[in-house]
Amino acid sequence: MENQTTLLEKLENNRRNLPDRRKNQLKSIICSLHMGRRKGPQRHAEKNRPYYTDIYERWVIIVTGAISVLSISDAFFTLKILEKGGEEINPVMEALLAINDTAFLAGKFTLTVVCLFFALIHINFNVLHLFPMRGVLCTILVFYSSLIGYELFLLSL
C-alpha cells in the first residue's frame, strides 16, 4: 500500500513540474480558430435554446463573405454615382463623405464587418425572439444583391 501511495505522489509531483499548457494563449487561439471544438449544443437541455458555437457551417461563412464583398462594392458604386451627381441619403454615410472618400470607405467597411461579426457569433439565436439570425443574414444578402443591381442600373443611365 505504501508503494502505491509513493508512486501516486511521484506522479502528482511530476505533473506539477510540467509547464502550464494554458500559458501559451496565442497557440490556443490559433488552434481554436482552425479546429474549433463546439459544433452544436453540448447538453440535451440546450437543444431547444440558442447556443454559441466555435465551428460555423460553410454556407454561413460564404454568405457573410458575400455580404462583405457586396458592401464594399456598394461603397465604390456609391462614390461613382455621387461623381455623376447622385446624393447619399444615409445620414451616417453622408457625414463620413463630408470628411473624405477614405473615411467613407473605412467607415462603411468597419460598420459592416462589426455587424457581420456580431451576427456570426449569434448565428444560432433569434433577433427579437422572432427571426432566426440565419434568415436575417440571407435577407441582407438578397437586399445587398438587389442594391448592387439598382446601382449598376443607375450607372448605366
Side-chain angles (χ1 to χ4, degrees):
M1 185 73 173
E2 287 182 33
N3 287 339
Q4 287 180 343
T5 307
T6 308
L7 182 61
L8 288 173
E9 287 174 0
K10 285 182 182 178
L11 287 173
E12 191 66 33
N13 286 336
N14 285 341
R15 190 180 309 156
R16 288 184 183 157
N17 292 330
L18 293 173
D20 188 357
R21 63 181 166 78
R22 296 170 290 184
K23 285 187 178 179
N24 193 349
Q25 294 176 353
L26 181 61
K27 181 181 176 186
S28 298
I29 291 170
I30 291 171
C31 285
S32 69
L33 289 174
H34 176 63
M35 309 173 295
R37 300 170 85 176
R38 188 167 174 153
K39 292 182 181 181
Q42 298 296 308
R43 293 170 187 83
H44 183 67
E46 291 179 343
K47 290 194 186 281
N48 295 326
R49 295 188 342 216
Y51 60 91
Y52 292 102
T53 183
D54 293 335
I55 300 174
Y56 302 98
E57 297 170 72
R58 183 170 287 144
W59 75 267
V60 173
I61 301 298
I62 291 169
V63 167
T64 54
I67 291 171
S68 298
V69 169
L70 290 172
S71 175
I72 293 169
S73 302
D74 170 43
F76 283 110
F77 290 150
T78 298
L79 290 175
K80 293 292 183 193
I81 291 170
L82 292 173
E83 286 175 7
K84 289 186 160 190
E87 290 183 35
E88 177 61 58
I89 58 174
N90 182 338
V92 174
M93 294 298 127
E94 187 175 10
L96 290 173
L97 275 168
I99 299 170
N100 61 30
D101 291 353
T102 305
F104 169 73
L105 292 171
K108 181 152 181 70
F109 181 72
T110 302
L111 283 171
T112 302
V113 168
V114 167
C115 291
L116 284 175
F117 182 71
F118 181 80
L120 188 62
I121 289 173
H122 295 92
I123 194 67
N124 297 310
F125 287 71
N126 293 334
V127 177
L128 302 174
H129 300 288
L130 296 173
F131 310 107
M133 184 59 77
R134 296 166 185 269
V136 171
L137 275 180
C138 291
T139 302
I140 292 170
L141 180 64
V142 169
F143 168 77
Y144 261 120
S145 300
S146 302
L147 180 63
I148 295 299
Y150 177 67
E151 288 174 334
L152 289 172
F153 169 74
L154 290 177
L155 287 170
S156 70
L157 295 177

